Amino acid sequence: MDITYHPIGTIHSPFTDLKQMPIQPTGRSSAPGTVEVFPEFSEGLKDLDRFSHLILVYHFHQSRTVTMTVKPFLDSAPRGLFATRAPVRPKPIGISIVELVSIQANILHLANLDILDGTPLLDIKLYVPDFDRPTEARVGWLEEVRHNLKSTHSTSRFSST
């Protein structure tokens, strides 16, 4: 079965180089940015301004490789791809929870971006803490290294250059 998606917009951020990016939106180096929603989808933004956070679903447009075992940013041990958030996936789809600052026409102004400039946006979902934040969650191997999350940046290990 072939599945084809077309973007509904473009994500704009100050991150033009994979090496300068934070690895998650909660990192200290996350930055403000915008999402340009294409005009044919702008009607769907109605009532969105009443929410503080969004889940952006996007395409890792610079990811060119697929690897089933990776050394994640926060660890030096090889891990199974699906036990990481590495971008080198069979289906290069990313998600980030970001803060919605304001909306002007079809432009979303956001805080806490960790996304490469020019990334194609596939969808916008509401972040609802009651739905999206389990109170009891295990974080596997990340338990030992999660204290490094806010200060870790991306590296060239997953880039195609």
Side-chain angles (χ1 to χ4, degrees):
M1 169 188 334
D2 286 325
I3 300 171
T4 303
Y5 288 104
H6 298 283
I8 64 164
T10 303
I11 301 168
H12 300 286
S13 79
F15 305 117
T16 58
D17 182 339
L18 292 173
K19 294 178 202 162
Q20 64 188 188
M21 293 176 41
I23 62 167
Q24 293 295 314
T26 58
R28 275 186 231 132
S29 61
S30 65
T34 60
V35 167
E36 173 191 359
V37 175
F38 298 148
E40 61 268 31
F41 302 105
S42 63
E43 185 178 347
L45 300 176
K46 182 181 181 305
D47 301 317
L48 193 63
D49 60 348
R50 297 180 64 196
F51 293 85
S52 66
H53 289 77
L54 307 172
I55 301 170
L56 301 183
V57 181
Y58 49 90
H59 176 72
F60 286 123
H61 67 296
Q62 295 295 322
S63 183
R64 303 282 186 261
T65 60
V66 176
T67 308
M68 290 296 112
T69 303
V70 298
K71 288 184 184 175
F73 292 121
L74 293 172
D75 200 7
S76 59
R79 305 287 180 182
L81 174 67
F82 300 124
T84 76
R85 291 193 172 191
V88 291
R89 313 188 80 74
K91 305 298 175 231
I93 296 171
I95 60 169
S96 290
I97 298 173
V98 299
E99 182 181 350
L100 177 61
V101 175
S102 66
I103 301 175
Q104 293 178 322
N106 65 324
I107 305 296
L108 308 180
H109 295 268
L110 307 171
N112 303 327
L113 278 179
D114 67 331
I115 305 167
L116 193 64
D117 187 56
T119 295
L121 178 68
L122 300 176
D123 202 359
I124 301 167
K125 306 278 188 187
L126 300 176
Y127 174 80
V128 180
D130 295 338
F131 302 161
D132 300 319
R133 194 180 69 193
T135 56
E136 300 294 324
R138 294 187 322 271
V139 295
W141 62 268
L142 280 165
E143 191 64 46
E144 299 166 16
V145 295
R146 67 195 284 185
H147 62 279
N148 294 323
L149 176 63
K150 291 190 183 289
S151 61
T152 304
H153 287 78
S154 180
T155 64
S156 61
R157 78 174 78 183
F158 298 124
S159 68
S160 59
T161 56

